[in-house]
Amino acid sequence: MSKKIILGIESSCDDTSAAVISDGYILSNIVSNQKVHQQFGGVVPELASRAHQQNIIPVVDTAIKNAGINKEDLSAICFTQGPGLLGSLLVGSSFAKSFALGMNIPLIAVNHMQGHIMAHFIKEKRNEIKSPKFPFLCLTVSGGHTQIVLVKSVEDMTVIGETLDDAAGEAFDKSAKILGLPYPGGPLIDKFGKHGNKHKFIFGKHKVGELNFSYSGIKTAFTNFLKKQKDSTFITKNLNDLCASLQYSLVQIILNKIQKAAKDYNIKQVVIGGGVAANSEIRIQLKNKAKSEGWEVFLPPQHLTTDNAAMIGIAGYFKIQKNNYGSISDSAMSRLKI
Ligand code: KG4
Ligand code: ZN
């Protein structure tokens, strides 16, 4: 059987990405971050679509060149159909459709969240990545999403818990903004938090039931706590402890929910994806839980947990194996569900 060489395209938020996957192995995975949003403290949708338009051709071109293939070698093109910012999704999906039509090869629409989950099945030649076995729980924590998904097979995924307001990364970024840190503030809270005392401050209790999440309470408690401080240099003097304590509270919410889910569904394999999976506190806590709860935890490398097109390519690769092809009428959908 000839090799399946797939081009993946991801443009759901503020990263333009293209990847080439050959029979499940990454040949290239190019991600172009958009710096234009930094000055606004968050992603500006209109600017994101414009930047995608500028980036999409050079990014795809580089992915094909770096993979050492010609575009004629491609067997299929996969693109992110949703969820995400509609204008951003439209750039990637329109490009993918035109390219597939021009090359006369199949087109496959991929759900972004399924891509995050399937990222755990990507193979890298230089780096052996261990994949989970079905069934497992996937915690997807990023700037746009916070979900716990019960994954029974490639085709059987159920969201069993999700955020009722902000996503975990959004909670990190908004809190960082309150501290006067630039966007995206999540990595900075992590950086400063490493030198602070995580038990110095307590920012309220999480009260949402079942497996759902809410970050609005903790954000309000954090804002009110800072407003109460009379010393105008309080943040500067306590930055490390504030970051460590806030990070601890945000991570604790995630940990408690995944622990409940593992118990409720009697599952001992936990995988994590999304930008917040890079957080050092969540990684430490998950490893500790793995020991105390007897879990096997899968923490893939950071370049595969943040938004990237290799995860879209691999999800498409599994769809092709089930003959699950898409069509030119698969339109971008900002609120696509798993
Ligand atoms: O998955 P991702 O790259 O894009 C989205 O789909 O949103 O995730 C980006 C999010 C941002 O909110 C960023 O602040 C957060 O991931 N993030 C972190 C860390 N690295 C990235 N949050 C906490 N600690 C980190 N080390
Ligand atoms: Zn994502």
Side-chain angles (χ1 to χ4, degrees), residues 167-177 185-186 189 247 250-251 276 279:
E170 216 177 343
F172 267 98
D173 296 338
K174 285 183 178 169
S175 309
K177 198 173 174 186
I189 291 192
Q247 173 169 272
L250 294 174
V251 167
V276 182
N279 183 265

Side-chain angles (χ1 to χ4, degrees), residues 12-15 112 116 141-145 168-170 172-173 183-191 247 273-280 302 305-307:
S12 64
C13 189
D14 60 339
D15 295 311
H112 179 84
H116 272 302
V141 275
S142 72
H145 354 268
E170 216 177 343
F172 267 98
D173 296 338
Y183 175 85
L188 294 171
I189 291 192
D190 192 357
K191 182 178 151 196
Q247 173 169 272
V276 182
N279 183 265
S280 57
Q302 196 180 340
T305 64
T306 52
D307 287 353

